[in-house]
Amino acid sequence: MSSSGFINYNKESGISSAAAVSFVKRLSGIPCGHMGTLDPLASGVLPVAVGNASRLFNYLLDKQKVYRAVFRFGTETDTLDCTGETLQSGLPVPSQEAVCAALPAFIGDIEQVPPQYSAKSVGGVRAYKLARQGVKAELAPKAVRIDFIDCVRQVSDDSFEFLIGCGGGTYIRSLARDIAARCGTCAVMTSLIREKSGVFCIENSVTRARLQEEGWEKFLIPPQDAFSMPELFYEGREAERLMQGQRLACGQPEGEYKLFFGGGFYGIAEVKEGCVRAKVKLI
């Protein structure tokens, strides 16, 4: 169980999330996966699951994410960020007051159209692959949750910095497009830092250099520390029976629990109809 857990990786700009995961995998020699892809342009918090901790991702999906982004107004690209082909430029740049006035319309549960250059599947093909072939895909709007958007400051004549709290699956590039459209213009994302993803915060994240110099084991977060849930403890024969897939009588309320055997974290238990069973096993 000690080899499973999470690395709160501070991904550098310029590499893919897959490349970051591959780096951790090479260091640890253990299969790894990541939760919540960051575009190559973006940097910041990328939770990497080491070993069987990836089996817990479903329990981390609803956590809030916080981003710090810079949008440049008056410019449009095919990717909705500064890495794409420019489609138009020199359009009007709104005032900070106009930008702030547009933001309340995006708070709450909203519908958002993903970017053409995204990993959304269209007829079994990734949208970004179609876009590279010059094919414009019909992408259906998706429901996303925006908790807050603050226009923090104006960083240049045409650019503003935003702090955004949202649910998983939100495209910050699409927010740039849609906020600008509400202001009667267009915009692209020029910078993106993920500062928080659930319990993983940038203040406690670790860089590639530190992982190499100090060893990945030092920064391995125990899997049970990554989410909140009530706990159940078993020992001896009861623990053995649960490990074998058997059910035990249980007087706890129905629901899911962190499951510990002899003090060590084993996985997720489910209590249903007066019985408990091991639902997700990390070993």
Side-chain angles (χ1 to χ4, degrees):
M1 286 185 282
S2 61
S3 61
S4 290
F6 295 94
I7 298 291
N8 183 8
Y9 187 88
N10 189 338
K11 187 186 86 67
E12 58 271 42
S13 179
I15 70 167
S16 68
S17 294
V21 171
S22 294
F23 167 72
V24 178
K25 181 180 178 180
R26 288 195 302 272
L27 277 185
S28 65
I30 301 171
C32 298
H34 69 79
M35 180 185 68
T37 302
L38 278 176
D39 291 339
L41 169 67
S43 63
V45 173
L46 181 72
V48 176
V50 178
N52 291 337
S54 59
R55 298 176 183 176
L56 298 173
F57 275 161
N58 286 342
Y59 297 91
L60 307 177
L61 294 178
D62 293 332
K63 306 302 181 183
Q64 186 188 66
K65 299 182 181 183
V66 176
Y67 295 91
R68 189 172 297 273
V70 175
F71 300 159
R72 179 194 300 149
F73 287 78
T75 299
E76 181 184 13
T77 68
D78 56 356
T79 60
L80 303 184
D81 64 26
C82 59
T83 68
E85 294 285 336
T86 300
L87 301 179
Q88 52 183 338
S89 61
L91 273 70
V93 175
S95 66
Q96 186 167 358
E97 291 74 18
V99 170
C100 290
L103 299 183
F106 298 93
I107 305 301
D109 296 320
I110 65 171
E111 294 284 311
Q112 182 185 73
V113 177
Q116 287 291 314
Y117 280 82
S118 68
K120 296 295 291 183
S121 182
V122 181
V125 181
R126 299 293 188 185
Y128 67 82
K129 291 185 177 180
L130 295 174
R132 289 170 181 167
Q133 298 168 8
V135 178
K136 187 173 182 178
E138 291 296 326
L139 297 173
K142 59 173 292 189
V144 298
R145 186 190 82 245
I146 309 296
D147 299 321
F148 63 84
I149 310 176
D150 296 326
C151 184
V152 178
R153 63 192 178 102
Q154 185 166 0
V155 297
S156 68
D157 290 342
D158 58 3
S159 298
F160 298 88
E161 181 182 285
F162 297 82
L163 192 65
I164 302 162
C166 58
T170 303
Y171 286 98
I172 306 301
R173 288 176 289 149
S174 289
L175 271 180
R177 174 199 62 202
D178 297 341
I179 291 170
R182 195 167 185 86
C183 295
T185 186
C186 54
V188 297
M189 184 182 76
T190 59
S191 172
L192 182 66
I193 302 171
R194 184 154 64 197
E195 297 189 342
K196 183 176 182 290
S197 179
V199 300
F200 304 101
C201 299
I202 198 164
E203 293 83 3
N204 302 320
S205 63
V206 58
T207 62
R208 172 185 292 251
R210 290 193 69 192
L211 284 170
Q212 286 179 314
E213 294 167 4
E214 301 178 42
W216 66 275
E217 298 93 341
K218 176 181 177 179
F219 302 101
L220 188 68
I221 300 169
Q224 65 269 26
D225 291 349
F227 63 105
S228 298
M229 189 178 286
E231 301 173 346
L232 288 175
F233 295 83
Y234 290 93
E235 295 184 349
R237 180 57 184 157
E238 288 185 324
E240 291 177 7
R241 290 176 61 188
L242 287 171
M243 291 178 69
Q244 293 167 2
Q246 298 181 36
R247 297 174 181 267
L248 298 179
C250 181
Q252 296 298 320
E254 291 195 353
E256 293 177 317
Y257 295 77
K258 295 179 184 179
L259 182 59
F260 293 83
F261 292 156
F265 182 62
Y266 181 75
I268 305 297
E270 180 184 41
V271 176
K272 187 175 182 181
E273 298 176 348
C275 292
V276 60
R277 69 178 181 94
K279 182 179 180 180
V280 179
K281 306 174 184 179
L282 265 66
I283 61 172

